[in-house]
Amino acid sequence: MSIITIQLGQCGNQVGREVFQAISTDLHSAHGLCSRKENDAYQAASRERFFSEDKTGVPAARAVLVDMEPKVIGQTLSVALRSGSWKYDHQSHFCQKQGSGNNWANGYCIHGPKHKEAIMNLVQKEAEKCDRLSGFLILLSMAGGTGSGLGAFVTRSLRDAYPTSFLLNHVIWPYSLGEVIVQNYNSVLTLSHLYQTSDALLVHENDAIHKICAQLMNIKQISFRDVNRVIAHQLGSIFQPAYSSDAAVQYSRSPLGDLMEALVPHPEFKMLGLRNIPQMSENSLAFSTFAWPGLLKHLRQMLIANAKMEEGIDWQVRPPVPGLPPSQKQSPNRTAHFNTSIANLITLRGKDIQTADLGGFRDPALYTSWLSAQEALSIWKTPRAFNKYEKSASLVSNSQFLLKPIDGVVSKAWKMFASKAYVHQYTKFGIEEEDFLDCFATLEQVIASYTSL
């Protein structure tokens, strides 16, 4: 089944381009360390998922590109075309010349309704090219105006137009030190609206990815492109084909449906985080060997200590004694909270996957009391290696990982709102103070729900 990617705003379009590039590079890698039959099945499943074929024979990304300024979309289209291995359909983009001025209300209340018909027509044309539609992957940033405001509007429109398709919003969490003065308002409005319409929100934090670029990739001058490439690699590692059970004889037919089934057992809990191991520069990769026990030991500790990468993990954090109330689920060292999970999905790719022991992830102490570890853990595998890593593991987790960032954003936004700072910038486009209060209430409920695990 196919996934249509909706790229919104500058960030969504730049990340989307890197995602398709990472998938295309993986598709064209020489061997994948598996049999030719296996490789052919993998490539066919991936192509159906992400690309459509046209008369020229060059795969066209199943994507719709939307921005309120033309510059980024122009660059995105030309960079894809120059790659020679894939392209965007030249009719699947929509742009204007005025921008959204980093204002969520401008994107949601003005640009959304004004351009809804044109954008949804592009989506319909893309959907008509799919034999079977699994759903939509919607890429956006929370900080600006187009990705966040128009992104929330388009997500709602997709929910109305495609009520049975799965919607997964991939959200870029802004740098904590700030990119835009009103980013906390934009973030609160985006998150609360997406929480009501999307099936799940998969979140990448810019701060965490920046650290990966600096410490694991050894990049000295980190650009947005470097950050986007790491994000794209991580997304590729979960969306490329894998077998959803040991008995499976074909690759997962409904990738988004299977993901939701594995990770979102209750509509109150929709926040997903992604970790990937190993990650390093290509230069280092040639001199590195990996064993499953070491990789999985690190991945498990990254989960429970809420670390985003394998360097600098707090090894003092331990699972709590079963049966303790949430208030006492703290580690013995008293500084770091144990990160309780609702559900986890582990994807293993590459050599010797049958020897990987995942017993450590089946520990009931890792999970909330209302789901058994057996129900809460899903494992996907494929002997096909991903992007030059002979062994790699990725973990998508529905857990308490975002509690601190959400709490921080809500607190900062509330302080500004209490003094009415910049509120007039939103009310002039049609967002009332009542709307802000509703959004704060929605996110306070999300915080309370995850805190209670």
Side-chain angles (χ1 to χ4, degrees), residues 174-232:
Y175 286 102
S176 54
L177 292 176
E179 300 161 44
V180 177
I181 189 102
V182 289
Q183 71 178 33
N184 295 309
Y185 279 166
N186 292 340
S187 298
V188 164
L189 291 161
T190 305
L191 283 173
S192 59
H193 279 75
L194 294 183
Y195 224 80
Q196 288 157 14
T197 49
S198 184
D199 290 303
L201 285 71
L202 178 61
V203 177
H204 267 112
E205 297 168 76
N206 268 342
D207 289 316
I209 303 299
H210 201 91
K211 274 188 185 170
I212 289 174
C213 288
Q215 295 177 30
L216 299 185
M217 301 301 205
N218 298 318
I219 300 168
K220 300 291 177 273
Q221 301 281 319
I222 298 168
S223 66
F224 275 122
R225 187 159 196 198
D226 295 320
V227 170
N228 293 342
R229 280 178 169 167
V230 171
I231 291 170

Tab-separated table of all heavy atoms in Angstrom, residues 174-232:
chain	number	residue	atom	x	y	z
A	174	PRO	N	10.891	22.862	17.584
A	174	PRO	CA	11.900	23.911	17.380
A	174	PRO	C	13.013	23.908	18.424
A	174	PRO	O	12.855	23.345	19.512
A	174	PRO	CB	11.085	25.209	17.461
A	174	PRO	CG	9.849	24.848	18.218
A	174	PRO	CD	9.568	23.398	17.927
A	175	TYR	N	14.122	24.541	18.093
A	175	TYR	CA	15.220	24.714	19.056
A	175	TYR	C	14.697	25.429	20.302
A	175	TYR	O	13.948	26.392	20.197
A	175	TYR	CB	16.352	25.549	18.442
A	175	TYR	CG	17.182	24.820	17.425
A	175	TYR	CD1	16.995	25.033	16.060
A	175	TYR	CD2	18.161	23.922	17.813
A	175	TYR	CE1	17.761	24.366	15.112
A	175	TYR	CE2	18.936	23.251	16.865
A	175	TYR	CZ	18.726	23.476	15.524
A	175	TYR	OH	19.486	22.811	14.598
A	176	SER	N	15.106	24.963	21.486
A	176	SER	CA	14.582	25.542	22.729
A	176	SER	C	15.003	27.000	22.899
A	176	SER	O	14.305	27.793	23.524
A	176	SER	CB	15.034	24.719	23.937
A	176	SER	OG	16.435	24.594	23.932
A	177	LEU	N	16.172	27.355	22.353
A	177	LEU	CA	16.625	28.748	22.476
A	177	LEU	C	15.894	29.669	21.502
A	177	LEU	O	16.056	30.883	21.560
A	177	LEU	CB	18.141	28.839	22.262
A	177	LEU	CG	18.970	28.194	23.373
A	177	LEU	CD1	20.450	28.243	23.043
A	177	LEU	CD2	18.715	28.881	24.716
A	178	GLY	N	15.119	29.100	20.629
A	178	GLY	CA	14.217	29.915	19.836
A	178	GLY	C	14.689	30.250	18.446
A	178	GLY	O	15.834	30.592	18.221
A	179	GLU	N	13.768	30.089	17.515
A	179	GLU	CA	13.998	30.506	16.134
A	179	GLU	C	13.104	31.713	15.829
A	179	GLU	O	13.455	32.575	15.054
A	179	GLU	CB	13.644	29.349	15.189
A	179	GLU	CG	14.465	28.085	15.437
A	179	GLU	CD	13.813	26.840	14.845
A	179	GLU	OE1	13.333	26.897	13.704
A	179	GLU	OE2	13.788	25.810	15.539
A	180	VAL	N	11.929	31.731	16.469
A	180	VAL	CA	10.906	32.752	16.206
A	180	VAL	C	10.357	33.191	17.560
A	180	VAL	O	10.112	32.342	18.428
A	180	VAL	CB	9.762	32.139	15.356
A	180	VAL	CG1	8.648	33.133	15.125
A	180	VAL	CG2	10.291	31.612	14.030
A	181	ILE	N	10.116	34.473	17.730
A	181	ILE	CA	9.697	34.990	19.041
A	181	ILE	C	8.361	34.378	19.504
A	181	ILE	O	8.139	34.164	20.688
A	181	ILE	CB	9.617	36.539	19.026
A	181	ILE	CG1	9.411	37.099	20.431
A	181	ILE	CG2	8.509	37.047	18.139
A	181	ILE	CD1	10.631	37.643	21.063
A	182	VAL	N	7.469	34.074	18.534
A	182	VAL	CA	6.151	33.529	18.904
A	182	VAL	C	6.089	32.015	18.709
A	182	VAL	O	5.007	31.446	18.610
A	182	VAL	CB	5.017	34.216	18.109
A	182	VAL	CG1	4.822	35.643	18.573
A	182	VAL	CG2	5.292	34.179	16.603
A	183	GLN	N	7.247	31.331	18.673
A	183	GLN	CA	7.220	29.896	18.367
A	183	GLN	C	6.454	29.090	19.416
A	183	GLN	O	5.865	28.058	19.089
A	183	GLN	CB	8.638	29.343	18.207
A	183	GLN	CG	9.453	29.244	19.472
A	183	GLN	CD	10.825	28.625	19.202
A	183	GLN	OE1	11.405	28.805	18.131
A	183	GLN	NE2	11.348	27.900	20.157
A	184	ASN	N	6.428	29.541	20.660
A	184	ASN	CA	5.691	28.781	21.684
A	184	ASN	C	4.186	28.865	21.462
A	184	ASN	O	3.475	27.883	21.655
A	184	ASN	CB	6.083	29.263	23.083
A	184	ASN	CG	7.542	28.972	23.383
A	184	ASN	OD1	8.000	27.849	23.223
A	184	ASN	ND2	8.300	29.986	23.770
A	185	TYR	N	3.698	30.035	21.052
A	185	TYR	CA	2.279	30.139	20.666
A	185	TYR	C	1.993	29.208	19.492
A	185	TYR	O	1.033	28.431	19.511
A	185	TYR	CB	1.952	31.571	20.224
A	185	TYR	CG	1.693	32.569	21.323
A	185	TYR	CD1	1.670	33.934	21.037
A	185	TYR	CD2	1.441	32.173	22.637
A	185	TYR	CE1	1.423	34.882	22.022
A	185	TYR	CE2	1.197	33.100	23.630
A	185	TYR	CZ	1.192	34.458	23.326
A	185	TYR	OH	0.946	35.386	24.298
A	186	ASN	N	2.818	29.310	18.447
A	186	ASN	CA	2.603	28.471	17.257
A	186	ASN	C	2.624	26.989	17.618
A	186	ASN	O	1.839	26.190	17.098
A	186	ASN	CB	3.680	28.766	16.207
A	186	ASN	CG	3.559	30.162	15.607
A	186	ASN	OD1	2.502	30.785	15.682
A	186	ASN	ND2	4.633	30.657	15.023
A	187	SER	N	3.529	26.615	18.529
A	187	SER	CA	3.657	25.207	18.930
A	187	SER	C	2.430	24.721	19.690
A	187	SER	O	1.909	23.629	19.436
A	187	SER	CB	4.910	25.022	19.797
A	187	SER	OG	6.074	25.360	19.079
A	188	VAL	N	1.947	25.533	20.624
A	188	VAL	CA	0.766	25.149	21.416
A	188	VAL	C	-0.456	25.000	20.502
A	188	VAL	O	-1.222	24.025	20.596
A	188	VAL	CB	0.504	26.202	22.527
A	188	VAL	CG1	-0.899	26.064	23.101
A	188	VAL	CG2	1.540	26.064	23.641
A	189	LEU	N	-0.638	25.959	19.594
A	189	LEU	CA	-1.789	25.904	18.680
A	189	LEU	C	-1.683	24.691	17.743
A	189	LEU	O	-2.671	23.985	17.510
A	189	LEU	CB	-1.852	27.198	17.865
A	189	LEU	CG	-2.229	28.459	18.658
A	189	LEU	CD1	-1.817	29.727	17.913
A	189	LEU	CD2	-3.725	28.489	18.954
A	190	THR	N	-0.475	24.426	17.247
A	190	THR	CA	-0.287	23.291	16.327
A	190	THR	C	-0.556	21.967	17.029
A	190	THR	O	-1.344	21.136	16.551
A	190	THR	CB	1.161	23.272	15.777
A	190	THR	OG1	1.451	24.526	15.177
A	190	THR	CG2	1.339	22.175	14.740
A	191	LEU	N	0.121	21.754	18.158
A	191	LEU	CA	0.000	20.470	18.857
A	191	LEU	C	-1.441	20.173	19.250
A	191	LEU	O	-1.934	19.053	19.071
A	191	LEU	CB	0.872	20.466	20.118
A	191	LEU	CG	2.378	20.272	19.920
A	191	LEU	CD1	3.105	20.460	21.246
A	191	LEU	CD2	2.687	18.902	19.342
A	192	SER	N	-2.134	21.172	19.786
A	192	SER	CA	-3.496	20.913	20.268
A	192	SER	C	-4.438	20.589	19.107
A	192	SER	O	-5.286	19.702	19.211
A	192	SER	CB	-4.022	22.096	21.078
A	192	SER	OG	-4.012	23.254	20.283
A	193	HIS	N	-4.274	21.287	17.979
A	193	HIS	CA	-5.134	20.988	16.829
A	193	HIS	C	-4.806	19.623	16.218
A	193	HIS	O	-5.713	18.863	15.868
A	193	HIS	CB	-5.011	22.093	15.768
A	193	HIS	CG	-5.843	23.304	16.083
A	193	HIS	ND1	-5.496	24.223	17.043
A	193	HIS	CD2	-7.031	23.729	15.572
A	193	HIS	CE1	-6.420	25.167	17.112
A	193	HIS	NE2	-7.366	24.892	16.231
A	194	LEU	N	-3.516	19.312	16.099
A	194	LEU	CA	-3.149	18.007	15.537
A	194	LEU	C	-3.624	16.877	16.439
A	194	LEU	O	-4.017	15.810	15.963
A	194	LEU	CB	-1.630	17.911	15.339
A	194	LEU	CG	-1.006	18.843	14.294
A	194	LEU	CD1	0.492	18.568	14.171
A	194	LEU	CD2	-1.680	18.690	12.936
A	195	TYR	N	-3.580	17.104	17.745
A	195	TYR	CA	-3.985	16.048	18.677
A	195	TYR	C	-5.443	15.647	18.469
A	195	TYR	O	-5.839	14.517	18.757
A	195	TYR	CB	-3.763	16.510	20.128
A	195	TYR	CG	-3.140	15.437	20.982
A	195	TYR	CD1	-1.770	15.197	20.926
A	195	TYR	CD2	-3.912	14.628	21.816
A	195	TYR	CE1	-1.191	14.190	21.679
A	195	TYR	CE2	-3.323	13.618	22.570
A	195	TYR	CZ	-1.973	13.406	22.499
A	195	TYR	OH	-1.398	12.399	23.238
A	196	GLN	N	-6.235	16.583	17.954
A	196	GLN	CA	-7.660	16.289	17.766
A	196	GLN	C	-7.969	15.667	16.401
A	196	GLN	O	-9.038	15.085	16.224
A	196	GLN	CB	-8.470	17.580	17.963
A	196	GLN	CG	-8.513	17.996	19.430
A	196	GLN	CD	-8.802	19.475	19.624
A	196	GLN	OE1	-9.231	20.148	18.694
A	196	GLN	NE2	-8.565	19.976	20.813
A	197	THR	N	-7.044	15.777	15.438
A	197	THR	CA	-7.368	15.275	14.092
A	197	THR	C	-6.458	14.137	13.624
A	197	THR	O	-6.878	13.304	12.828
A	197	THR	CB	-7.282	16.413	13.049
A	197	THR	OG1	-6.046	17.112	13.231
A	197	THR	CG2	-8.414	17.396	13.201
A	198	SER	N	-5.220	14.116	14.089
A	198	SER	CA	-4.255	13.136	13.584
A	198	SER	C	-4.372	11.812	14.343
A	198	SER	O	-4.841	11.776	15.481
A	198	SER	CB	-2.849	13.719	13.759
A	198	SER	OG	-1.891	12.863	13.204
A	199	ASP	N	-3.911	10.727	13.704
A	199	ASP	CA	-3.877	9.436	14.409
A	199	ASP	C	-2.675	9.356	15.340
A	199	ASP	O	-2.729	8.686	16.372
A	199	ASP	CB	-3.827	8.282	13.399
A	199	ASP	CG	-5.140	8.137	12.656
A	199	ASP	OD1	-6.177	7.962	13.317
A	199	ASP	OD2	-5.144	8.233	11.413
A	200	ALA	N	-1.583	10.005	14.971
A	200	ALA	CA	-0.397	10.014	15.836
A	200	ALA	C	0.534	11.139	15.391
A	200	ALA	O	0.493	11.586	14.241
A	200	ALA	CB	0.335	8.679	15.779
A	201	LEU	N	1.361	11.599	16.336
A	201	LEU	CA	2.360	12.630	16.060
A	201	LEU	C	3.734	12.037	16.325
A	201	LEU	O	4.025	11.615	17.446
A	201	LEU	CB	2.159	13.847	16.974
A	201	LEU	CG	0.999	14.798	16.687
A	201	LEU	CD1	-0.338	14.145	17.028
A	201	LEU	CD2	1.147	16.057	17.529
A	202	LEU	N	4.542	11.984	15.296
A	202	LEU	CA	5.921	11.492	15.429
A	202	LEU	C	6.825	12.728	15.515
A	202	LEU	O	6.850	13.544	14.601
A	202	LEU	CB	6.281	10.630	14.218
A	202	LEU	CG	7.696	10.058	14.152
A	202	LEU	CD1	7.976	9.146	15.335
A	202	LEU	CD2	7.906	9.285	12.851
A	203	VAL	N	7.542	12.860	16.631
A	203	VAL	CA	8.232	14.118	16.927
A	203	VAL	C	9.755	13.956	16.861
A	203	VAL	O	10.318	13.008	17.416
A	203	VAL	CB	7.830	14.626	18.337
A	203	VAL	CG1	8.595	15.892	18.693
A	203	VAL	CG2	6.326	14.873	18.396
A	204	HIS	N	10.397	14.899	16.179
A	204	HIS	CA	11.854	15.021	16.229
A	204	HIS	C	12.191	16.376	16.849
A	204	HIS	O	11.675	17.409	16.404
A	204	HIS	CB	12.461	14.961	14.821
A	204	HIS	CG	12.882	13.595	14.414
A	204	HIS	ND1	12.264	12.879	13.418
A	204	HIS	CD2	13.874	12.792	14.881
A	204	HIS	CE1	12.862	11.692	13.285
A	204	HIS	NE2	13.844	11.619	14.158
A	205	GLU	N	13.068	16.388	17.831
A	205	GLU	CA	13.483	17.641	18.465
A	205	GLU	C	14.779	18.133	17.815
A	205	GLU	O	15.778	17.412	17.782
A	205	GLU	CB	13.717	17.423	19.956
A	205	GLU	CG	12.469	17.005	20.724
A	205	GLU	CD	12.819	16.513	22.122
A	205	GLU	OE1	13.103	17.371	22.984
A	205	GLU	OE2	12.837	15.289	22.342
A	206	ASN	N	14.762	19.373	17.332
A	206	ASN	CA	15.949	19.929	16.680
A	206	ASN	C	17.180	19.885	17.589
A	206	ASN	O	18.280	19.610	17.130
A	206	ASN	CB	15.683	21.377	16.250
A	206	ASN	CG	15.167	21.467	14.820
A	206	ASN	OD1	15.311	20.525	14.043
A	206	ASN	ND2	14.559	22.586	14.469
A	207	ASP	N	16.994	20.163	18.882
A	207	ASP	CA	18.136	20.163	19.810
A	207	ASP	C	18.819	18.793	19.842
A	207	ASP	O	20.053	18.696	19.831
A	207	ASP	CB	17.682	20.549	21.228
A	207	ASP	CG	17.314	22.028	21.334
A	207	ASP	OD1	18.070	22.855	20.800
A	207	ASP	OD2	16.280	22.334	21.941
A	208	ALA	N	17.996	17.732	19.894
A	208	ALA	CA	18.542	16.366	19.979
A	208	ALA	C	19.260	15.985	18.690
A	208	ALA	O	20.353	15.390	18.717
A	208	ALA	CB	17.413	15.371	20.276
A	209	ILE	N	18.678	16.336	17.541
A	209	ILE	CA	19.302	16.002	16.258
A	209	ILE	C	20.600	16.789	16.078
A	209	ILE	O	21.592	16.281	15.547
A	209	ILE	CB	18.330	16.275	15.084
A	209	ILE	CG1	17.026	15.488	15.276
A	209	ILE	CG2	18.973	15.902	13.756
A	209	ILE	CD1	17.165	13.997	15.333
A	210	HIS	N	20.607	18.033	16.539
A	210	HIS	CA	21.822	18.859	16.471
A	210	HIS	C	22.975	18.182	17.217
A	210	HIS	O	24.111	18.151	16.740
A	210	HIS	CB	21.522	20.232	17.086
A	210	HIS	CG	22.476	21.306	16.657
A	210	HIS	ND1	22.246	22.106	15.567
A	210	HIS	CD2	23.680	21.697	17.152
A	210	HIS	CE1	23.258	22.946	15.420
A	210	HIS	NE2	24.142	22.720	16.369
A	211	LYS	N	22.644	17.620	18.393
A	211	LYS	CA	23.673	16.904	19.185
A	211	LYS	C	24.192	15.683	18.437
A	211	LYS	O	25.383	15.366	18.483
A	211	LYS	CB	23.081	16.459	20.538
A	211	LYS	CG	23.150	17.511	21.607
A	211	LYS	CD	22.726	16.874	22.931
A	211	LYS	CE	22.651	17.923	24.028
A	211	LYS	NZ	22.027	17.366	25.242
A	212	ILE	N	23.301	14.958	17.781
A	212	ILE	CA	23.722	13.786	17.001
A	212	ILE	C	24.691	14.222	15.899
A	212	ILE	O	25.731	13.588	15.679
A	212	ILE	CB	22.495	13.062	16.396
A	212	ILE	CG1	21.707	12.362	17.512
A	212	ILE	CG2	22.922	12.043	15.339
A	212	ILE	CD1	20.404	11.728	17.066
A	213	CYS	N	24.380	15.329	15.227
A	213	CYS	CA	25.270	15.843	14.166
A	213	CYS	C	26.649	16.169	14.732
A	213	CYS	O	27.675	15.860	14.130
A	213	CYS	CB	24.673	17.102	13.532
A	213	CYS	SG	23.251	16.789	12.492
A	214	ALA	N	26.663	16.792	15.909
A	214	ALA	CA	27.936	17.236	16.492
A	214	ALA	C	28.738	16.068	17.059
A	214	ALA	O	29.937	15.935	16.800
A	214	ALA	CB	27.671	18.270	17.584
A	215	GLN	N	28.068	15.195	17.827
A	215	GLN	CA	28.794	14.192	18.602
A	215	GLN	C	28.945	12.849	17.887
A	215	GLN	O	29.957	12.161	18.074
A	215	GLN	CB	28.101	13.994	19.958
A	215	GLN	CG	28.161	15.251	20.818
A	215	GLN	CD	27.401	15.090	22.134
A	215	GLN	OE1	27.302	14.004	22.679
A	215	GLN	NE2	26.842	16.171	22.636
A	216	LEU	N	27.962	12.447	17.094
A	216	LEU	CA	28.054	11.145	16.416
A	216	LEU	C	28.536	11.286	14.971
A	216	LEU	O	29.256	10.437	14.469
A	216	LEU	CB	26.696	10.428	16.433
A	216	LEU	CG	26.113	10.091	17.810
A	216	LEU	CD1	24.835	9.286	17.643
A	216	LEU	CD2	27.094	9.318	18.666
A	217	MET	N	28.112	12.356	14.325
A	217	MET	CA	28.499	12.554	12.918
A	217	MET	C	29.785	13.377	12.778
A	217	MET	O	30.310	13.514	11.675
A	217	MET	CB	27.377	13.274	12.147
A	217	MET	CG	26.066	12.514	12.157
A	217	MET	SD	26.244	10.882	11.447
A	217	MET	CE	24.611	10.527	10.906
A	218	ASN	N	30.233	13.959	13.884
A	218	ASN	CA	31.464	14.776	13.888
A	218	ASN	C	31.431	15.912	12.864
A	218	ASN	O	32.421	16.202	12.202
A	218	ASN	CB	32.709	13.899	13.624
A	218	ASN	CG	32.884	12.863	14.719
A	218	ASN	OD1	32.707	13.172	15.896
A	218	ASN	ND2	33.195	11.639	14.338
A	219	ILE	N	30.255	16.554	12.737
A	219	ILE	CA	30.132	17.683	11.805
A	219	ILE	C	30.482	18.970	12.567
A	219	ILE	O	29.936	19.227	13.639
A	219	ILE	CB	28.707	17.765	11.216
A	219	ILE	CG1	28.372	16.462	10.461
A	219	ILE	CG2	28.566	18.965	10.294
A	219	ILE	CD1	26.912	16.309	10.092
A	220	LYS	N	31.392	19.740	12.011
A	220	LYS	CA	31.861	20.950	12.722
A	220	LYS	C	30.909	22.132	12.516
A	220	LYS	O	30.494	22.783	13.448
A	220	LYS	CB	33.277	21.330	12.241
A	220	LYS	CG	34.330	20.239	12.480
A	220	LYS	CD	34.628	20.061	13.980
A	220	LYS	CE	35.622	18.930	14.229
A	220	LYS	NZ	35.016	17.604	14.354
A	221	GLN	N	30.582	22.432	11.270
A	221	GLN	CA	29.658	23.536	10.956
A	221	GLN	C	28.314	22.907	10.571
A	221	GLN	O	28.117	22.505	9.434
A	221	GLN	CB	30.208	24.362	9.795
A	221	GLN	CG	31.569	24.976	10.036
A	221	GLN	CD	31.481	26.228	10.898
A	221	GLN	OE1	30.593	27.046	10.733
A	221	GLN	NE2	32.412	26.358	11.829
A	222	ILE	N	27.403	22.835	11.527
A	222	ILE	CA	26.154	22.095	11.291
A	222	ILE	C	25.135	22.982	10.573
A	222	ILE	O	24.813	24.075	11.027
A	222	ILE	CB	25.570	21.586	12.626
A	222	ILE	CG1	26.566	20.620	13.283
A	222	ILE	CG2	24.223	20.897	12.403
A	222	ILE	CD1	26.245	20.279	14.719
A	223	SER	N	24.648	22.491	9.427
A	223	SER	CA	23.634	23.224	8.657
A	223	SER	C	22.275	22.548	8.844
A	223	SER	O	22.180	21.426	9.355
A	223	SER	CB	24.005	23.206	7.172
A	223	SER	OG	23.926	21.877	6.670
A	224	PHE	N	21.210	23.231	8.404
A	224	PHE	CA	19.884	22.607	8.454
A	224	PHE	C	19.863	21.336	7.606
A	224	PHE	O	19.172	20.376	7.927
A	224	PHE	CB	18.802	23.579	7.961
A	224	PHE	CG	18.303	24.505	9.035
A	224	PHE	CD1	18.390	25.873	8.896
A	224	PHE	CD2	17.739	23.996	10.199
A	224	PHE	CE1	17.937	26.731	9.890
A	224	PHE	CE2	17.274	24.833	11.205
A	224	PHE	CZ	17.375	26.211	11.045
A	225	ARG	N	20.647	21.321	6.522
A	225	ARG	CA	20.661	20.133	5.669
A	225	ARG	C	21.236	18.929	6.420
A	225	ARG	O	20.757	17.800	6.270
A	225	ARG	CB	21.463	20.415	4.389
A	225	ARG	CG	21.337	19.259	3.422
A	225	ARG	CD	21.636	19.611	1.985
A	225	ARG	NE	21.132	18.556	1.123
A	225	ARG	CZ	21.522	18.383	-0.128
A	225	ARG	NH1	22.388	19.206	-0.669
A	225	ARG	NH2	21.034	17.392	-0.848
A	226	ASP	N	22.267	19.171	7.237
A	226	ASP	CA	22.832	18.077	8.044
A	226	ASP	C	21.780	17.527	9.007
A	226	ASP	O	21.621	16.313	9.158
A	226	ASP	CB	24.039	18.583	8.854
A	226	ASP	CG	25.194	19.016	7.963
A	226	ASP	OD1	25.450	18.333	6.952
A	226	ASP	OD2	25.838	20.039	8.283
A	227	VAL	N	21.077	18.437	9.667
A	227	VAL	CA	20.022	18.041	10.613
A	227	VAL	C	18.939	17.249	9.876
A	227	VAL	O	18.504	16.180	10.324
A	227	VAL	CB	19.411	19.295	11.294
A	227	VAL	CG1	18.159	18.939	12.086
A	227	VAL	CG2	20.436	19.965	12.210
A	228	ASN	N	18.521	17.759	8.713
A	228	ASN	CA	17.451	17.098	7.953
A	228	ASN	C	17.860	15.717	7.459
A	228	ASN	O	17.030	14.802	7.374
A	228	ASN	CB	17.035	17.975	6.764
A	228	ASN	CG	16.373	19.267	7.212
A	228	ASN	OD1	15.922	19.376	8.349
A	228	ASN	ND2	16.329	20.260	6.341
A	229	ARG	N	19.158	15.552	7.151
A	229	ARG	CA	19.622	14.229	6.687
A	229	ARG	C	19.556	13.190	7.797
A	229	ARG	O	19.245	12.021	7.542
A	229	ARG	CB	21.049	14.348	6.151
A	229	ARG	CG	21.089	14.896	4.746
A	229	ARG	CD	22.506	15.061	4.246
A	229	ARG	NE	22.516	15.328	2.815
A	229	ARG	CZ	23.578	15.753	2.147
A	229	ARG	NH1	24.715	15.949	2.775
A	229	ARG	NH2	23.504	15.977	0.857
A	230	VAL	N	19.877	13.595	9.007
A	230	VAL	CA	19.773	12.661	10.138
A	230	VAL	C	18.308	12.277	10.360
A	230	VAL	O	17.969	11.105	10.550
A	230	VAL	CB	20.374	13.285	11.423
A	230	VAL	CG1	20.070	12.413	12.641
A	230	VAL	CG2	21.888	13.459	11.271
A	231	ILE	N	17.428	13.271	10.315
A	231	ILE	CA	15.989	13.006	10.475
A	231	ILE	C	15.516	12.053	9.375
A	231	ILE	O	14.792	11.082	9.636
A	231	ILE	CB	15.193	14.327	10.424
A	231	ILE	CG1	15.485	15.171	11.669
A	231	ILE	CG2	13.690	14.055	10.314
A	231	ILE	CD1	14.939	16.591	11.604
A	232	ALA	N	15.946	12.322	8.136
A	232	ALA	CA	15.522	11.493	6.992
A	232	ALA	C	16.011	10.057	7.147
A	232	ALA	O	15.280	9.099	6.862
A	232	ALA	CB	16.053	12.089	5.691
